[in-house]
């Protein structure tokens, strides 16, 4: 859930726009965007660039107004070799499509030399004819009842692929009918900058970037053998399907449905219902 009021500033600006294609530039301001301390290919960085680029392009194309609340339902991406360096994206091209009750985008993001950093595509919808606040209150009610059912004892951040000063949202591994899982919780107080090192957002729910962060932490816990990571796994792509909002302050579960050496398929559930299906594509580890 978001609209133009979510942030006071905009990472993206329009360079050229038509009815169907928008070229964008980015204002690289680490003082405004703390997640720019992360590597360029980190899924949190990819999602934030995707968010600002597609929202700004949609406003420019008239897909929806800046005041309209929107929700992302599917997002997939793949990083190019340029994203594995130290430079951050400087340009993007966004194409939108709309159908009855749905809308989507294709996004290509590049560096100053025009090298591809990542491609992404996604789908979502706009809350044009619905009382958003009333709908949100109803949708979060059942999850909030489970707020105190489980105490989440988060793991040492170094076991989750983070630095010693990182912020872990996940627990050690538990077993769920033969499949490994972790519990997790993103607090409303402590889950956003400046209490958190880099997460930003509306504070209405656990946002896409926080879910991607939780997923990458969980992958490290599942494959880390309870040892600190000297070289964390690098995510180079993936796909997320958002079915229901994950609520802040309420424990949820991340189950490893399938694992390969270079891929992990995860399922997020909260209050007995599946919320998110998320796949991370990982750079193969050196032998």
């Amino acid at each position: 859930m978001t609209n133009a009021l979510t942030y006071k500033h905009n990472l993206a600006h329009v360079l050229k726009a038509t009815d169907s294609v928008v070229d964008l530039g980015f204002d690289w301001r680490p003082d405004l965007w703390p997640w720019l301390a992360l590597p360029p290919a980190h899924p949190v960085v990819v999602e934030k660039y995707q968010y600002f680029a597609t929202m700004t392009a949609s406003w420019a194309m008239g897909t929806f107004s800046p005041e309209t609340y929107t929700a992302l339902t599917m997002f997939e991406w793949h990083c190019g070799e340029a994203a594995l360096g130290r430079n951050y994206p400087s340009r993007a091209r966004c194409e939108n499509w709309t159908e009855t009750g749905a809308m989507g985008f294709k996004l290509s993001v590049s560096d100053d030399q025009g090298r591809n950093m990542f491609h992404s595509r996604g789908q979502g919808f706009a809350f044009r004819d619905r009382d958003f606040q009333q709908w949100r209150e109803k949708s979060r009610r059942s999850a909030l009842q489970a707020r105190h059912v489980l105490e989440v004892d988060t793991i040492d951040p170094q076991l989750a692929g983070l630095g010693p000063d990182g912020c872990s949202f996940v627990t050690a591994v538990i077993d769920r009918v033969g499949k490994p899982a972790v519990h997790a919780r993103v607090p409303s107080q402590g889950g956003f900058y400046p209490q958190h090192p880099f997460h930003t957002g509306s504070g209405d729910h656990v946002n896409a970037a926080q879910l991607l962060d939780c997923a990458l932490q969980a992958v490290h816990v599942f494959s880390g053998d309870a040892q600190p990571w000297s070289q964390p796994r690098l995510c180079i792509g993936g796909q997320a399907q958002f079915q229901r909002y994950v609520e802040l302050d309420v424990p949820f579960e991340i189950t490893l449905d399938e694992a390969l050496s270079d891929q992990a398929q995860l399922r997020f559930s909260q209050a007995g219902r599946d919320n998110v299906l998320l796949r991370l594509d990982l750079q193969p580890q050196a032998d």
Side-chain angles (χ1 to χ4, degrees), residues 144-156:
L144 290 177
Q145 292 174 354
R147 185 183 306 180
H148 304 297
V149 170
L150 176 70
E151 187 67 31
V152 175
D153 186 13
T154 56
I155 203 167
D156 183 319

Side-chain angles (χ1 to χ4, degrees), residues 46 75-80 93 105-110 115-121 236-238:
V46 171
F75 165 51
E76 65 179 11
W77 76 101
H78 181 74
C79 293
R93 169 164 287 191
F105 66 86
K106 291 193 299 182
L107 182 69
S108 297
V109 178
S110 59
R115 298 177 299 174
N116 168 57
M117 296 198 71
F118 71 86
H119 290 295
S120 70
R121 70 181 186 93
I236 56 174

Side-chain angles (χ1 to χ4, degrees), residues 227-249:
Q227 297 295 320
W229 286 80
S230 59
Q231 189 67 37
R233 298 299 304 270
L234 181 63
C235 178
I236 56 174
Q239 183 188 73
Q241 298 178 48
F242 304 105
Q243 301 168 336
R244 294 181 179 85
Y245 285 119
V246 176
E247 302 296 345
L248 294 163
D249 299 318

